[in-house]
Amino acid sequence: MVNRPLYTVCPHNCPDTCGLQVNVSEGKVVTVTGQKDHPVTKGFICEKVRHYPEKVHSYERIRKPLKRVGEKGKNEFIEISWDEALYEISTKLKETHEHYGGRSILPYSYSGTIGVIQNASMDRRFFNRLNTSIIDRTICSAAGNAAFTYTMGDQVGLDPEDTKESTYIIIWGTNTILTNIHQWMYIEVARKKGAKLVVIDIERTETAQKADWFIQLLPGTDAALALGLIHVLMDEGLIDAAFIEEQTIGIDELAYRAMEYTPEYVEQVTGIPAAHIRKLAREYGSSKASFIRIGNGQQHHIGGGMSTRAILYLPALTGAWQYPGGGAIYFNLLQGKVDRAELEQPDLRTEEAKVVNMNLLGKALLDKADPIRLLFVYNSNPASVTPGQTAILKGLAREDLVTIVHEQTMTETAKYADYVLPATTAMEHTDLYKSYWHRYWQVGRPVISPIGEALSNTELFRRLARACGFTEPCFKDTDEELMRQAVSSKPSEWKDDLFSGRVMKWDPEDREREEVEPWLNGTYSTPSGKIELYSDKMRKIGLDPLPHYATVKPKKDHFWLITSPHRRGLNSQFLYQFYPEKEKPFAIIHPDISKGYQLTEGDWIVLYNNKGEIKVEVKIDQKVHPSAIVVRGIWPFKAFQGKNTNSLTSSLLSDFGGGATFFTTFVQLRKVDN
């Protein structure tokens, strides 16, 4: 018999942050659906999360603390008690700190959950108290976020609910139907009112197939296209001179730069006909409430910062921000502020921290001059998801490295650990949730008891603090206290409603509105207080103050490797549940490639470069760009005989922001003879 529905929130790194309705029977999650009365979710969730019961109750869940007894990477462990685990781990932490200093300890975490307190609260206090190194969390959106900061002053964007009023919509570099399904629902409302939808991508994705106009460009040339559109907008007077005068600086410098990017030149770079570039600019510039959904795809190239910055100029030049439904969205990080200082207690730190870019983990683990001697991984699976996989695995195999992993299942990283500690899922712990896209907040509470002896992140670090002898009162804060500290600035009535279980919208108060929606009064958090088309701040640190296209071309017989999202996967999560019975990876290639290499559907090929190689089955599809090979999803190592696509991906950093450049990866291929 199924009990009455319970409610929680999807914890995963997705902009939608859906409210969930969960049915539980005899202590087990039976079904997961969307919360019907949630103003954004409206009862609808993605395919991934509908399979959540399989994830929660997987036979692969880690149920007790484990200690390594065999060779690293061989998955040989014995069960130990929590008392033993806490004593041994706290001892190793204290000994490492005493002999080598806090900088020799590296915590590595990211977005295994994006819940406010389970993602970043008690853990940050703990590592601040130890004066450990700090991981620079730049793997996802760093280049794009830096572009917004240089241009707009912060990661701001319009309220997505307003996009129902948009009159012209561009989806640029994202498969919205898979990665932001509720934005798609708003777009469909706008289309019924007459809005036109244009999708710009390197592949005719599910989203592109539903567009009014699909524009396919050569990978990595997004900045050139955006600058070509800017050229036409300025050349044909399709700009809002009053908005530009009041709310921007640098228009003259931009005009000079844009002169170089004629439609004819941009056609040579992108492969898009010059007539189409002019048409797109004219349509966009003639529509007041134009909206651009800026995706991660274009900013995962080496020029990702500049391309995002160039795209962001479009609503500034047309003044689209002034109109309901006009402007752009990337990461709406100001849609509700978290009191980070209260949660993370940076004053506990007494030494300047060593900072390690998470995309360079392999390099850090192999650094003999300033070695990492203890690695603590939680909320992440770096062996699988991080570029530079070969170096990471070599570093994790070091016998002189102590590795502790807090995890739900035995991931690729966990297999290299000295200790693996069982972690809860969102169904088993309390957390506070905010989106980086919409403005709604919600508390998620446990719907079942923890599986086995699993602990939440906050409880783990409370216990470790006690085992290490930390006496500061902040290490005794409960989850309820942590959640209230996170929203300390909000009115009491709002907080009371939130913690009673209501879904609450973070409506900016008067003092916040000019930060969240700076275009309303033209006051931005940039040095000039305006949208900076020309950034003197960038010039002073040696960056080009104006956007440009940096030419990156593959050599002969090399192809772009694009590792795009899978409908059933999110980073390294979920796909292991489906492999190999229901799903397996494919290298999706254009018919032109298959002809050149005499390949047919179902053949096997090896993709290789100077970093490594993987063997994968071929799927032929004319929807992908003929210069690219697409592999969807981050698959478990067993899908590629002991590695995955990140054994091939680029370890270069983006032009600014320190971001990952997964898509600036080039591979060759060879057919596998039967």
Side-chain angles (χ1 to χ4, degrees):
M1 181 176 181
V2 177
N3 299 329
R4 63 180 176 81
L6 301 171
Y7 297 95
T8 188
V9 185
C10 178
H12 294 290
N13 189 353
C14 169
D16 296 54
T17 313
C18 293
L20 302 179
Q21 177 177 307
V22 183
N23 288 317
V24 174
S25 179
E26 297 181 353
K28 288 190 174 183
V29 176
V30 179
T31 61
V32 178
T33 58
Q35 185 175 339
K36 293 183 175 61
D37 60 354
H38 190 287
V40 175
T41 307
K42 296 186 183 299
F44 183 77
I45 59 173
C46 69
E47 180 180 357
K48 297 180 284 291
V49 179
R50 289 201 301 273
H51 288 277
Y52 220 87
E54 299 169 42
K55 176 182 175 68
V56 173
H57 299 292
S58 168
Y59 70 92
E60 295 186 352
R61 283 290 299 273
I62 299 165
R63 287 166 165 76
K64 290 179 66 69
L66 304 175
K67 181 178 180 178
R68 179 173 66 90
V69 293
E71 183 181 344
K72 288 193 174 187
K74 298 299 184 181
N75 196 17
E76 296 175 355
F77 296 88
I78 59 170
E79 293 183 348
I80 59 175
S81 70
W82 265 111
D83 286 343
E84 291 174 293
L86 291 168
Y87 173 76
E88 293 183 23
I89 291 169
S90 62
T91 299
K92 291 185 181 296
L93 282 163
K94 289 185 288 186
E95 289 177 348
T96 304
H97 186 274
E98 179 181 351
H99 290 115
Y100 305 108
R103 64 188 290 114
S104 70
I105 300 170
L106 179 65
Y108 190 106
S109 69
Y110 197 60
S111 61
T113 174
I114 58 170
V116 171
I117 68 167
Q118 301 298 346
N119 177 271
S121 63
M122 195 61 69
D123 59 308
R124 304 297 206 269
R125 296 178 183 186
F126 181 80
F127 292 117
N128 280 333
R129 175 64 172 75
L130 279 171
N131 288 304
T132 67
S133 292
I134 292 175
I135 198 76
D136 192 11
R137 296 173 173 86
T138 55
I139 198 168
C140 179
S141 58
N145 284 336
F148 263 71
T149 301
Y150 283 130
T151 309
M152 305 282 287
D154 220 318
Q155 293 88 35
V156 294
L158 72 156
D159 184 338
E161 290 182 289
D162 290 346
T163 62
K164 292 180 287 188
E165 306 303 321
S166 303
T167 55
Y168 196 88
I169 301 165
I170 298 176
I171 294 177
W172 198 317
T174 178
N175 189 359
T176 306
I177 287 177
L178 295 192
T179 61
N180 191 188
I181 185 61
H182 294 91
Q183 177 66 79
W184 178 256
M185 294 167 72
Y186 291 148
I187 288 171
E188 287 287 80
V189 173
R191 294 178 79 186
K192 289 177 181 177
K193 297 179 181 179
K196 182 173 183 176
L197 173 63
V198 180
V199 171
I200 300 170
D201 212 320
I202 63 101
E203 177 186 4
R204 190 183 291 271
T205 62
E206 294 91 332
T207 305
Q209 291 175 56
K210 294 182 179 295
D212 299 299
W213 185 12
F214 169 54
I215 298 175
Q216 189 173 47
L217 80 171
L218 183 72
T221 62
D222 305 81
L225 175 57
L227 284 160
L229 297 175
I230 290 169
H231 176 101
V232 177
L233 290 173
M234 300 183 79
D235 188 53
E236 299 191 7
L238 297 170
I239 58 177
D240 188 324
F243 185 87
I244 291 169
E245 174 67 24
E246 293 168 4
Q247 299 206 25
T248 76
I249 63 166
I251 186 64
D252 293 337
E253 293 89 343
L254 176 62
Y256 186 77
R257 173 63 57 85
M259 288 174 61
E260 306 170 29
Y261 291 86
T262 65
E264 287 71 26
Y265 166 69
V266 174
E267 177 180 354
Q268 295 176 23
V269 172
T270 64
I272 302 168
H276 290 185
I277 296 167
R278 288 192 172 90
K279 178 185 176 185
L280 177 60
R282 289 165 182 163
E283 290 183 356
Y284 177 81
S286 300
S287 182
K288 290 183 176 180
S290 55
F291 164 56
I292 306 177
R293 182 60 170 110
I294 303 175
N296 253 0
Q298 52 78 33
Q299 69 94 58
H300 271 155
H301 289 275
I302 199 167
M306 285 299 179
S307 65
T308 307
R309 192 157 146 76
I311 295 167
L312 187 54
Y313 284 13
L314 298 173
L317 293 176
T318 63
W321 294 108
Q322 303 168 91
Y323 306 101
I329 295 176
Y330 181 54
F331 274 54
N332 276 352
L333 299 187
L334 287 192
Q335 308 284 33
K337 288 186 176 180
V338 173
D339 191 336
R340 290 292 175 197
E342 182 73 16
L343 276 184
E344 300 179 14
Q345 301 281 315
D347 290 344
L348 290 168
R349 186 173 290 272
T350 58
E351 301 173 7
E352 185 176 351
K354 170 184 173 182
V355 178
V356 176
N357 186 304
M358 69 191 317
N359 300 306
L360 303 178
L361 176 63
K363 180 180 179 181
L365 293 179
L366 297 177
D367 183 359
K368 295 181 180 179
D370 189 10
I372 299 299
R373 298 183 183 274
L374 190 148
L375 178 68
F376 203 122
V377 179
Y378 59 104
N379 279 344
S380 189
N381 181 14
S384 180
V385 303
T386 308
Q389 188 174 95
T390 300
I392 291 171
L393 295 180
K394 185 177 179 181
L396 289 173
R398 284 172 41 202
E399 280 298 331
D400 64 335
L401 175 72
V402 177
T403 301
I404 300 145
V405 175
H406 187 216
E407 221 359 309
Q408 297 163 2
T409 60
M410 189 57 67
T411 63
E412 288 82 3
T413 307
K415 291 176 183 177
Y416 284 84
D418 295 282
Y419 297 90
V420 182
L421 307 175
T424 51
T425 69
M427 301 291 164
E428 303 152 55
H429 61 232
T430 295
D431 211 341
L432 173 63
Y433 296 91
K434 68 182 290 287
S435 169
Y436 53 80
W437 170 65
H438 64 67
R439 295 185 178 180
Y440 291 92
W441 287 59
Q442 193 171 3
V443 172
R445 300 195 184 278
V447 297
I448 60 171
S449 299
I451 300 294
E453 298 179 12
L455 296 181
S456 67
N457 292 335
T458 50
E459 181 59 22
L460 169 63
F461 288 104
R462 272 191 289 265
R463 293 191 186 188
L464 276 174
R466 188 162 59 246
C468 287
F470 298 166
T471 58
E472 290 83 355
C474 66
F475 291 109
K476 296 180 180 179
D477 288 343
T478 66
D479 287 355
E480 295 296 323
E481 289 169 327
L482 289 170
M483 291 192 296
R484 288 190 175 271
Q485 290 164 11
V487 290
S488 58
S489 64
K490 290 301 283 183
S492 296
E493 184 178 347
W494 187 91
K495 287 187 283 193
D496 290 344
D497 286 343
L498 174 68
F499 292 113
S500 71
R502 289 185 59 189
V503 181
M504 297 298 294
K505 187 168 187 177
W506 188 291
D507 281 319
E509 299 164 32
D510 291 341
R511 59 187 171 82
E512 298 170 325
R513 189 165 295 280
E514 63 186 49
E515 297 178 12
V516 177
E517 300 173 337
W519 47 86
L520 295 178
N521 60 6
T523 304
Y524 299 84
S525 298
T526 55
S528 67
K530 295 187 176 185
I531 298 174
E532 297 199 347
L533 308 177
Y534 179 98
S535 171
D536 198 51
K537 182 178 180 180
M538 295 179 73
R539 180 192 65 79
K540 288 178 179 177
I541 60 174
L543 296 171
D544 191 337
L546 294 163
H548 66 269
Y549 164 64
T551 304
V552 180
K553 291 183 178 180
K555 298 176 183 177
K556 184 181 179 181
D557 298 325
H558 287 65
F559 303 94
W560 297 83
L561 175 63
I562 306 296
T563 47
S564 60
H566 192 285
R567 74 185 190 283
R568 281 182 165 174
L570 183 62
N571 301 321
S572 65
Q573 300 181 77
F574 295 104
L575 282 178
Y576 76 91
Q577 298 169 212
F578 302 105
Y579 178 84
E581 289 81 8
K582 297 180 181 178
E583 290 277 349
K584 59 183 178 179
F586 294 98
I588 307 171
I589 64 174
H590 190 274
D592 289 354
I593 299 179
S594 65
K595 291 176 185 176
Y597 287 83
Q598 298 182 330
L599 296 169
T600 58
E601 188 99 6
D603 282 346
W604 286 79
I605 59 173
V606 171
L607 301 179
Y608 66 96
N609 57 22
N610 62 356
K611 299 177 182 65
E613 63 179 44
I614 59 170
K615 181 181 174 183
V616 62
E617 190 174 343
V618 166
K619 191 170 187 177
I620 300 170
D621 196 329
Q622 64 182 359
K623 292 192 285 291
V624 302
H625 197 283
S627 69
I629 296 174
V630 174
V631 179
R632 295 201 183 98
I634 303 298
W635 291 83
F637 280 11
K638 58 187 177 182
F640 297 104
Q641 297 81 47
K643 64 192 77 173
N644 65 20
T645 47
N646 277 320
S647 63
L648 304 174
T649 51
S650 172
S651 298
L652 297 171
L653 299 181
S654 56
D655 44 7
F656 53 82
T661 59
F662 293 107
F663 298 166
T664 304
T665 295
F666 301 110
V667 295
Q668 293 178 272
L669 71 84
R670 64 174 181 266
K671 185 177 180 180
V672 176
D673 295 327
N674 295 328

